[in-house]
Amino acid sequence: MNKSKLVLVSLDSLPDVFEKVLTAKKLLAQGKVKSAAEAARTAGISRSAFYKYRDSVFLYENKEQERMVNLYLKLEDEPGILSSVISALYKEGVNIITVNQNIPVDGVAPVSICAKLTGEGQGMSELLDFLEKMPGVVEARNIS
């Protein structure tokens, strides 16, 4: 049986090529470069080094510092309400992953938001209280 062997190692103890591969992958993913060759050149590595390590090197994201939440909101069907909620969440340091708004019924639009909360931000109950006090927000719940 061919088992995958994974090791978590600090970038500080590895050759620079691994960090440069991560940089090149990020440049490609963000569309800042058009090709792998351009990404490798911009990151300061050869194309062959990029191709050799690109499928083996990944950035570890510390999940202890952030958590995913699913919010359910009922918003008044008025222009700008959803936009003001999203802006307020941004100001609170919430990273919004997805937003789904359903067709309004009886003047109220149900909205679900999947988001990442970082460790530095406020707690869930404070965030829900904050949202419910906003103009146009009828209800706010955590459904995750």
Side-chain angles (χ1 to χ4, degrees):
M1 182 190 307
N2 187 7
K3 281 185 132 177
S4 175
K5 295 179 184 178
L6 301 176
V7 177
L8 185 62
V9 181
S10 172
L11 270 177
D12 297 336
S13 63
L14 293 172
D16 291 342
V17 67
F18 295 107
E19 186 170 11
K20 291 177 179 182
V21 168
L22 290 170
T23 300
K25 287 174 64 170
K26 186 175 182 178
L27 290 169
L28 270 172
Q30 293 177 344
K32 293 181 179 178
V33 294
K34 302 290 184 214
S35 68
E38 185 180 358
R41 185 173 48 257
T42 303
I45 55 175
S46 67
R47 263 187 351 181
S48 62
F50 175 74
Y51 284 120
K52 180 176 182 179
Y53 297 118
R54 73 174 177 177
D55 295 329
S56 301
V57 179
F58 304 94
L59 188 61
Y60 173 74
E61 295 180 27
N62 188 351
K63 298 300 180 189
E64 292 175 9
Q65 295 298 318
E66 59 186 35
R67 61 186 192 262
M68 296 292 285
V69 296
N70 291 296
L71 303 172
Y72 172 79
L73 307 172
K74 284 186 183 176
L75 305 179
E76 293 177 6
D77 183 25
E78 297 291 329
I81 301 288
L82 179 57
S83 177
S84 66
V85 167
I86 290 171
S87 294
L89 288 172
Y90 166 75
K91 289 177 185 171
E92 292 296 311
V94 175
N95 183 11
I96 296 174
I97 306 301
T98 62
V99 177
N100 294 305
Q101 180 177 5
N102 291 328
I103 297 172
V105 176
D106 297 329
V108 177
V111 175
S112 62
I113 297 175
C114 177
K116 282 185 191 178
L117 301 181
T118 60
E120 303 100 35
Q122 55 187 272
M124 179 53 67
S125 59
E126 293 88 358
L127 182 62
L128 293 174
D129 289 342
F130 170 76
L131 288 170
E132 285 192 330
K133 291 176 183 170
M134 290 187 66
V137 177
V138 177
E139 180 184 354
R141 288 188 285 148
N142 177 15
I143 57 173
S144 52

